[in-house]
Amino acid sequence: MQTKFSFLKGGMLLLLNFLTFFIPNGFFSYYAWACMFAGALFLLLQVVMLVDWSYHWNEEWGDRGERNGKWQGYLLAIAVGTFVFGIIMSVLNFIYFAPHQDCNLQGFIVSLTIMSAVVYTLLAIWVPHGSIVPSGIVFAYTSAIVFTTLKLVDNEHCNAFASEARSEER
C-alpha cells in the first residue's frame, strides 16, 4: 500500500492543498483553540512517555548495577548531569527572560518549573521504589521546553532574543 498508487496519492494531496483555499477564515479561530488544547495534551503525553521510558532505563541499569557497580555510577552520572542541565537552563531562563522586576509571568513560569522539580524529586526519594533519574530527566526536559517557549515571546523588554531578532530583520 505504501509503494502503490503514488500518483493517486500525490494528486489527492494536491487537491487537498488546493481545497484549503476555500475554507472560511472563521474556521481557523476555532482551529487555533483546538490546536492549543491538542498541543497541551501532546506535551502531557510526551512527559508521560518520557517518565515511562526513563523508569525502564533506570530499572534496566539498576539491575545491571547489582551485578557490576559501574552501572550504578552511570545512573548517578546521568542523574547529576540532568539536574545540572536543568539548573543551567533555569538560570539561563532567569537571565534571558526575567531580567527586570516587571517580567513577572516569565519569572513565575521559571520558578514554577523549579518548584515542580523539587516536589517530584522529593516524591521520588520518599516513595519506596522511586528514582531520581526520571526526575532529573523530566526536569531537564521541562526546563528546556520552558526556554524554547519563552524564547518565542515577542516582548523585547522581557526577552533578550526578541531584540536580537528585530535587529536582524532590519
Short mmCIF file of all heavy atoms in Angstrom, two decimals, residues 106-162:
data_model
loop_
_atom_site.label_atom_id
_atom_site.label_comp_id
_atom_site.label_asym_id
_atom_site.label_seq_id
_atom_site.Cartn_x
_atom_site.Cartn_y
_atom_site.Cartn_z
N GLN A 106 7.13 35.56 33.26
CA GLN A 106 8.26 34.72 32.90
C GLN A 106 8.96 34.19 34.16
O GLN A 106 9.32 33.01 34.24
CB GLN A 106 9.25 35.49 32.03
CG GLN A 106 8.76 35.75 30.64
CD GLN A 106 7.88 37.00 30.52
OE1 GLN A 106 7.38 37.53 31.49
NE2 GLN A 106 7.69 37.44 29.30
N GLY A 107 9.15 35.06 35.15
CA GLY A 107 9.77 34.63 36.39
C GLY A 107 8.93 33.59 37.11
O GLY A 107 9.46 32.63 37.69
N PHE A 108 7.61 33.76 37.08
CA PHE A 108 6.71 32.79 37.70
C PHE A 108 6.80 31.44 37.02
O PHE A 108 6.85 30.39 37.67
CB PHE A 108 5.27 33.30 37.68
CG PHE A 108 4.26 32.28 38.11
CD1 PHE A 108 4.13 31.94 39.44
CD2 PHE A 108 3.46 31.65 37.17
CE1 PHE A 108 3.21 30.98 39.85
CE2 PHE A 108 2.54 30.69 37.56
CZ PHE A 108 2.41 30.36 38.91
N ILE A 109 6.83 31.43 35.70
CA ILE A 109 6.90 30.17 34.96
C ILE A 109 8.20 29.43 35.26
O ILE A 109 8.19 28.21 35.50
CB ILE A 109 6.72 30.43 33.45
CG1 ILE A 109 5.29 30.89 33.15
CG2 ILE A 109 7.07 29.19 32.63
CD1 ILE A 109 5.08 31.39 31.74
N VAL A 110 9.31 30.15 35.28
CA VAL A 110 10.60 29.51 35.58
C VAL A 110 10.62 29.03 37.03
O VAL A 110 11.07 27.91 37.31
CB VAL A 110 11.76 30.48 35.29
CG1 VAL A 110 13.09 29.86 35.69
CG2 VAL A 110 11.78 30.87 33.82
N SER A 111 10.10 29.83 37.94
CA SER A 111 10.05 29.43 39.35
C SER A 111 9.15 28.21 39.55
O SER A 111 9.47 27.32 40.33
CB SER A 111 9.54 30.58 40.22
OG SER A 111 10.40 31.68 40.13
N LEU A 112 8.03 28.18 38.83
CA LEU A 112 7.13 27.04 38.92
C LEU A 112 7.80 25.76 38.41
O LEU A 112 7.62 24.68 38.99
CB LEU A 112 5.85 27.31 38.13
CG LEU A 112 4.77 26.25 38.20
CD1 LEU A 112 4.24 26.14 39.63
CD2 LEU A 112 3.64 26.60 37.25
N THR A 113 8.61 25.88 37.38
CA THR A 113 9.35 24.74 36.87
C THR A 113 10.34 24.21 37.92
O THR A 113 10.43 23.00 38.14
CB THR A 113 10.11 25.12 35.58
OG1 THR A 113 9.19 25.63 34.63
CG2 THR A 113 10.85 23.94 35.00
N ILE A 114 11.03 25.13 38.58
CA ILE A 114 12.00 24.72 39.61
C ILE A 114 11.28 24.11 40.80
O ILE A 114 11.70 23.06 41.33
CB ILE A 114 12.86 25.92 40.03
CG1 ILE A 114 13.73 26.38 38.86
CG2 ILE A 114 13.73 25.58 41.23
CD1 ILE A 114 14.41 27.70 39.08
N MET A 115 10.18 24.73 41.24
CA MET A 115 9.44 24.19 42.38
C MET A 115 8.85 22.82 42.05
O MET A 115 8.86 21.92 42.90
CB MET A 115 8.34 25.16 42.81
CG MET A 115 8.87 26.40 43.49
SD MET A 115 7.59 27.47 44.15
CE MET A 115 6.76 28.00 42.68
N SER A 116 8.37 22.64 40.84
CA SER A 116 7.84 21.33 40.44
C SER A 116 8.95 20.28 40.47
O SER A 116 8.72 19.15 40.91
CB SER A 116 7.24 21.41 39.04
OG SER A 116 6.17 22.30 39.00
N ALA A 117 10.13 20.65 40.00
CA ALA A 117 11.26 19.71 40.01
C ALA A 117 11.61 19.31 41.43
O ALA A 117 11.89 18.14 41.70
CB ALA A 117 12.46 20.32 39.30
N VAL A 118 11.59 20.26 42.35
CA VAL A 118 11.89 19.94 43.75
C VAL A 118 10.83 19.00 44.31
O VAL A 118 11.15 18.00 44.98
CB VAL A 118 11.99 21.24 44.58
CG1 VAL A 118 12.02 20.92 46.07
CG2 VAL A 118 13.21 22.04 44.19
N VAL A 119 9.56 19.27 44.00
CA VAL A 119 8.47 18.45 44.53
C VAL A 119 8.56 17.03 44.00
O VAL A 119 8.52 16.05 44.77
CB VAL A 119 7.09 19.07 44.21
CG1 VAL A 119 5.97 18.09 44.46
CG2 VAL A 119 6.88 20.34 45.03
N TYR A 120 8.70 16.84 42.67
CA TYR A 120 8.71 15.46 42.19
C TYR A 120 10.03 14.75 42.48
O TYR A 120 10.06 13.53 42.54
CB TYR A 120 8.24 15.29 40.74
CG TYR A 120 8.88 16.12 39.66
CD1 TYR A 120 10.17 15.91 39.24
CD2 TYR A 120 8.14 17.09 39.01
CE1 TYR A 120 10.73 16.64 38.24
CE2 TYR A 120 8.69 17.84 37.99
CZ TYR A 120 9.99 17.61 37.61
OH TYR A 120 10.54 18.34 36.61
N THR A 121 11.10 15.48 42.73
CA THR A 121 12.33 14.82 43.18
C THR A 121 12.18 14.34 44.62
O THR A 121 12.59 13.22 44.95
CB THR A 121 13.53 15.78 43.05
OG1 THR A 121 13.65 16.18 41.68
CG2 THR A 121 14.81 15.10 43.50
N LEU A 122 11.59 15.17 45.47
CA LEU A 122 11.35 14.74 46.85
C LEU A 122 10.38 13.56 46.90
O LEU A 122 10.56 12.64 47.71
CB LEU A 122 10.81 15.91 47.69
CG LEU A 122 11.83 17.01 48.00
CD1 LEU A 122 11.16 18.16 48.73
CD2 LEU A 122 13.00 16.47 48.78
N LEU A 123 9.36 13.58 46.06
CA LEU A 123 8.45 12.44 45.99
C LEU A 123 9.16 11.18 45.52
O LEU A 123 8.89 10.09 46.03
CB LEU A 123 7.27 12.75 45.06
CG LEU A 123 6.18 13.64 45.63
CD1 LEU A 123 5.18 14.00 44.53
CD2 LEU A 123 5.48 12.97 46.78
N ALA A 124 10.07 11.33 44.56
CA ALA A 124 10.81 10.16 44.07
C ALA A 124 11.72 9.59 45.15
O ALA A 124 11.92 8.38 45.21
CB ALA A 124 11.62 10.53 42.83
N ILE A 125 12.26 10.44 45.99
CA ILE A 125 13.10 9.96 47.08
C ILE A 125 12.25 9.31 48.17
O ILE A 125 12.63 8.30 48.75
CB ILE A 125 13.94 11.13 47.65
CG1 ILE A 125 14.96 11.59 46.60
CG2 ILE A 125 14.65 10.72 48.93
CD1 ILE A 125 15.67 12.87 46.95
N TRP A 126 11.08 9.89 48.42
CA TRP A 126 10.22 9.42 49.51
C TRP A 126 9.51 8.11 49.19
O TRP A 126 9.34 7.26 50.05
CB TRP A 126 9.20 10.52 49.82
CG TRP A 126 8.29 10.22 50.95
CD1 TRP A 126 8.63 9.94 52.24
CD2 TRP A 126 6.88 10.15 50.89
NE1 TRP A 126 7.52 9.73 52.99
CE2 TRP A 126 6.42 9.86 52.18
CE3 TRP A 126 5.93 10.32 49.87
CZ2 TRP A 126 5.07 9.72 52.48
CZ3 TRP A 126 4.61 10.21 50.18
CH2 TRP A 126 4.18 9.90 51.47
N VAL A 127 9.13 7.91 47.93
CA VAL A 127 8.41 6.69 47.52
C VAL A 127 9.40 5.52 47.56
O VAL A 127 10.55 5.66 47.15
CB VAL A 127 7.83 6.87 46.10
CG1 VAL A 127 7.23 5.60 45.58
CG2 VAL A 127 6.82 7.99 46.08
N PRO A 128 8.96 4.34 48.03
CA PRO A 128 9.89 3.21 48.17
C PRO A 128 10.59 2.80 46.87
O PRO A 128 11.77 2.47 46.89
CB PRO A 128 9.00 2.07 48.68
CG PRO A 128 7.84 2.73 49.31
CD PRO A 128 7.64 4.02 48.59
N HIS A 129 9.90 2.79 45.76
CA HIS A 129 10.53 2.35 44.50
C HIS A 129 10.79 3.52 43.57
O HIS A 129 10.84 3.35 42.35
CB HIS A 129 9.65 1.32 43.80
CG HIS A 129 9.54 0.04 44.56
ND1 HIS A 129 10.59 -0.84 44.65
CD2 HIS A 129 8.54 -0.50 45.29
CE1 HIS A 129 10.23 -1.87 45.40
NE2 HIS A 129 8.98 -1.69 45.80
N GLY A 130 10.97 4.71 44.12
CA GLY A 130 11.21 5.89 43.30
C GLY A 130 12.66 5.97 42.85
O GLY A 130 13.53 5.24 43.31
N SER A 131 12.91 6.87 41.93
CA SER A 131 14.26 7.07 41.41
C SER A 131 14.43 8.53 41.02
O SER A 131 13.49 9.16 40.53
CB SER A 131 14.48 6.18 40.20
OG SER A 131 15.71 6.49 39.60
N ILE A 132 15.63 9.03 41.22
CA ILE A 132 15.86 10.43 40.85
C ILE A 132 16.24 10.58 39.38
O ILE A 132 16.25 11.69 38.87
CB ILE A 132 16.91 11.08 41.76
CG1 ILE A 132 18.25 10.37 41.67
CG2 ILE A 132 16.42 11.15 43.19
CD1 ILE A 132 19.38 11.10 42.34
N VAL A 133 16.56 9.49 38.72
CA VAL A 133 16.90 9.59 37.28
C VAL A 133 15.70 10.10 36.47
O VAL A 133 15.85 11.06 35.70
CB VAL A 133 17.44 8.25 36.74
CG1 VAL A 133 17.60 8.29 35.24
CG2 VAL A 133 18.76 7.92 37.41
N PRO A 134 14.51 9.53 36.60
CA PRO A 134 13.37 10.09 35.86
C PRO A 134 13.06 11.54 36.26
O PRO A 134 12.70 12.36 35.41
CB PRO A 134 12.21 9.18 36.21
CG PRO A 134 12.84 7.89 36.58
CD PRO A 134 14.13 8.27 37.24
N SER A 135 13.24 11.86 37.54
CA SER A 135 13.01 13.23 37.98
C SER A 135 13.98 14.19 37.31
O SER A 135 13.60 15.27 36.87
CB SER A 135 13.16 13.34 39.50
OG SER A 135 12.24 12.52 40.15
N GLY A 136 15.24 13.79 37.22
CA GLY A 136 16.23 14.63 36.56
C GLY A 136 15.95 14.79 35.08
O GLY A 136 16.10 15.88 34.51
N ILE A 137 15.54 13.69 34.45
CA ILE A 137 15.25 13.76 33.01
C ILE A 137 14.05 14.65 32.75
O ILE A 137 14.06 15.48 31.83
CB ILE A 137 15.04 12.34 32.45
CG1 ILE A 137 16.38 11.60 32.42
CG2 ILE A 137 14.42 12.38 31.06
CD1 ILE A 137 16.28 10.14 32.06
N VAL A 138 13.00 14.54 33.57
CA VAL A 138 11.83 15.40 33.40
C VAL A 138 12.17 16.85 33.69
O VAL A 138 11.71 17.76 33.00
CB VAL A 138 10.66 14.90 34.28
CG1 VAL A 138 9.52 15.89 34.30
CG2 VAL A 138 10.16 13.56 33.76
N PHE A 139 13.01 17.11 34.69
CA PHE A 139 13.43 18.48 35.00
C PHE A 139 14.22 19.08 33.83
O PHE A 139 13.99 20.23 33.44
CB PHE A 139 14.24 18.51 36.29
CG PHE A 139 14.76 19.86 36.66
CD1 PHE A 139 13.95 20.98 36.63
CD2 PHE A 139 16.07 20.02 37.05
CE1 PHE A 139 14.44 22.23 36.98
CE2 PHE A 139 16.57 21.26 37.40
CZ PHE A 139 15.76 22.37 37.37
N ALA A 140 15.14 18.31 33.28
CA ALA A 140 15.91 18.80 32.13
C ALA A 140 14.99 19.08 30.94
O ALA A 140 15.11 20.11 30.27
CB ALA A 140 16.99 17.79 31.75
N TYR A 141 14.05 18.18 30.69
CA TYR A 141 13.12 18.35 29.58
C TYR A 141 12.22 19.57 29.77
O TYR A 141 12.08 20.39 28.86
CB TYR A 141 12.27 17.08 29.43
CG TYR A 141 11.16 17.21 28.43
CD1 TYR A 141 11.43 17.15 27.07
CD2 TYR A 141 9.85 17.39 28.83
CE1 TYR A 141 10.41 17.27 26.14
CE2 TYR A 141 8.82 17.51 27.90
CZ TYR A 141 9.11 17.45 26.57
OH TYR A 141 8.10 17.57 25.65
N THR A 142 11.64 19.71 30.97
CA THR A 142 10.72 20.84 31.18
C THR A 142 11.45 22.17 31.17
O THR A 142 10.93 23.16 30.65
CB THR A 142 9.93 20.68 32.50
OG1 THR A 142 10.84 20.48 33.57
CG2 THR A 142 8.95 19.55 32.41
N SER A 143 12.66 22.21 31.71
CA SER A 143 13.39 23.48 31.67
C SER A 143 13.80 23.84 30.24
O SER A 143 13.80 25.02 29.87
CB SER A 143 14.61 23.43 32.59
OG SER A 143 15.48 22.40 32.22
N ALA A 144 14.11 22.86 29.42
CA ALA A 144 14.42 23.13 28.01
C ALA A 144 13.17 23.57 27.25
O ALA A 144 13.22 24.48 26.41
CB ALA A 144 15.04 21.91 27.36
N ILE A 145 12.02 22.96 27.54
CA ILE A 145 10.77 23.37 26.91
C ILE A 145 10.39 24.79 27.32
O ILE A 145 9.94 25.59 26.49
CB ILE A 145 9.63 22.38 27.25
CG1 ILE A 145 9.85 21.05 26.53
CG2 ILE A 145 8.26 22.93 26.92
CD1 ILE A 145 9.69 21.11 25.03
N VAL A 146 10.59 25.12 28.59
CA VAL A 146 10.30 26.48 29.06
C VAL A 146 11.21 27.47 28.34
O VAL A 146 10.77 28.55 27.91
CB VAL A 146 10.44 26.58 30.59
CG1 VAL A 146 10.49 28.02 31.07
CG2 VAL A 146 9.30 25.85 31.26
N PHE A 147 12.49 27.14 28.19
CA PHE A 147 13.41 28.02 27.47
C PHE A 147 12.94 28.25 26.03
O PHE A 147 12.89 29.38 25.55
CB PHE A 147 14.83 27.43 27.46
CG PHE A 147 15.86 28.31 26.82
CD1 PHE A 147 16.49 29.29 27.55
CD2 PHE A 147 16.18 28.16 25.48
CE1 PHE A 147 17.43 30.12 26.96
CE2 PHE A 147 17.13 28.97 24.89
CZ PHE A 147 17.76 29.95 25.63
N THR A 148 12.59 27.17 25.36
CA THR A 148 12.14 27.28 23.97
C THR A 148 10.85 28.09 23.86
O THR A 148 10.70 28.91 22.96
CB THR A 148 11.92 25.87 23.39
OG1 THR A 148 13.12 25.12 23.52
CG2 THR A 148 11.54 25.93 21.93
N THR A 149 9.94 27.87 24.80
CA THR A 149 8.66 28.58 24.77
C THR A 149 8.84 30.06 25.06
O THR A 149 8.28 30.91 24.36
CB THR A 149 7.69 27.95 25.78
OG1 THR A 149 7.57 26.57 25.49
CG2 THR A 149 6.34 28.60 25.72
N LEU A 150 9.62 30.39 26.08
CA LEU A 150 9.81 31.79 26.43
C LEU A 150 10.63 32.53 25.36
O LEU A 150 10.52 33.75 25.24
CB LEU A 150 10.49 31.91 27.79
CG LEU A 150 9.64 31.50 28.99
CD1 LEU A 150 10.45 31.62 30.27
CD2 LEU A 150 8.37 32.33 29.08
N LYS A 151 11.42 31.81 24.62
CA LYS A 151 12.19 32.43 23.54
C LYS A 151 11.27 32.95 22.43
O LYS A 151 11.61 33.88 21.72
CB LYS A 151 13.19 31.42 22.97
CG LYS A 151 14.18 32.00 22.01
CD LYS A 151 15.19 30.96 21.60
CE LYS A 151 16.12 31.55 20.57
NZ LYS A 151 17.10 30.57 20.10
N LEU A 152 10.08 32.38 22.31
CA LEU A 152 9.15 32.79 21.27
C LEU A 152 8.30 33.99 21.64
O LEU A 152 7.58 34.52 20.80
CB LEU A 152 8.23 31.61 20.91
CG LEU A 152 8.93 30.39 20.33
CD1 LEU A 152 7.94 29.25 20.16
CD2 LEU A 152 9.60 30.73 19.03
N VAL A 153 8.36 34.44 22.91
CA VAL A 153 7.57 35.58 23.36
C VAL A 153 8.11 36.84 22.68
O VAL A 153 9.31 37.10 22.68
CB VAL A 153 7.61 35.72 24.89
CG1 VAL A 153 6.92 36.98 25.35
CG2 VAL A 153 6.98 34.50 25.53
N ASP A 154 7.23 37.63 22.13
CA ASP A 154 7.63 38.81 21.35
C ASP A 154 7.59 40.07 22.22
O ASP A 154 6.93 41.04 21.90
CB ASP A 154 6.70 38.96 20.13
CG ASP A 154 7.25 39.94 19.12
OD1 ASP A 154 8.48 40.10 19.07
OD2 ASP A 154 6.45 40.55 18.40
N ASN A 155 8.30 40.03 23.34
CA ASN A 155 8.37 41.16 24.25
C ASN A 155 9.84 41.52 24.43
O ASN A 155 10.57 40.81 25.11
CB ASN A 155 7.72 40.80 25.60
CG ASN A 155 7.72 41.94 26.58
OD1 ASN A 155 8.29 42.99 26.33
ND2 ASN A 155 7.09 41.72 27.71
N GLU A 156 10.27 42.61 23.82
CA GLU A 156 11.68 42.97 23.85
C GLU A 156 12.16 43.30 25.26
O GLU A 156 13.33 43.17 25.56
CB GLU A 156 11.94 44.15 22.92
CG GLU A 156 11.78 43.82 21.46
CD GLU A 156 12.08 44.99 20.56
OE1 GLU A 156 12.65 45.98 21.03
OE2 GLU A 156 11.75 44.90 19.36
N HIS A 157 11.25 43.75 26.12
CA HIS A 157 11.63 44.12 27.48
C HIS A 157 11.97 42.89 28.32
O HIS A 157 12.87 42.95 29.16
CB HIS A 157 10.48 44.91 28.13
CG HIS A 157 10.81 45.45 29.48
ND1 HIS A 157 11.75 46.43 29.69
CD2 HIS A 157 10.32 45.13 30.70
CE1 HIS A 157 11.83 46.69 30.97
NE2 HIS A 157 10.96 45.92 31.61
N CYS A 158 11.27 41.79 28.08
CA CYS A 158 11.45 40.58 28.89
C CYS A 158 12.08 39.43 28.12
O CYS A 158 12.18 38.33 28.65
CB CYS A 158 10.11 40.12 29.45
SG CYS A 158 9.40 41.28 30.61
N ASN A 159 12.49 39.65 26.89
CA ASN A 159 13.07 38.58 26.09
C ASN A 159 14.29 39.13 25.36
O ASN A 159 14.15 39.93 24.43
CB ASN A 159 12.04 38.04 25.10
CG ASN A 159 12.55 36.88 24.29
OD1 ASN A 159 13.70 36.49 24.39
ND2 ASN A 159 11.68 36.31 23.47
N ALA A 160 15.47 38.72 25.78
CA ALA A 160 16.69 39.21 25.15
C ALA A 160 16.79 38.78 23.69
O ALA A 160 17.40 39.47 22.88
CB ALA A 160 17.90 38.71 25.92
N PHE A 161 16.18 37.67 23.35
CA PHE A 161 16.23 37.18 21.97
C PHE A 161 15.29 37.94 21.05
O PHE A 161 15.51 37.96 19.84
CB PHE A 161 15.91 35.68 21.92
CG PHE A 161 16.93 34.85 22.64
CD1 PHE A 161 16.63 34.30 23.88
CD2 PHE A 161 18.17 34.62 22.09
CE1 PHE A 161 17.56 33.53 24.55
CE2 PHE A 161 19.11 33.86 22.75
CZ PHE A 161 18.81 33.31 23.99
N ALA A 162 14.25 38.56 21.58
CA ALA A 162 13.31 39.31 20.74
C ALA A 162 13.99 40.53 20.15
O ALA A 162 13.77 40.88 18.99
CB ALA A 162 12.07 39.72 21.53
#
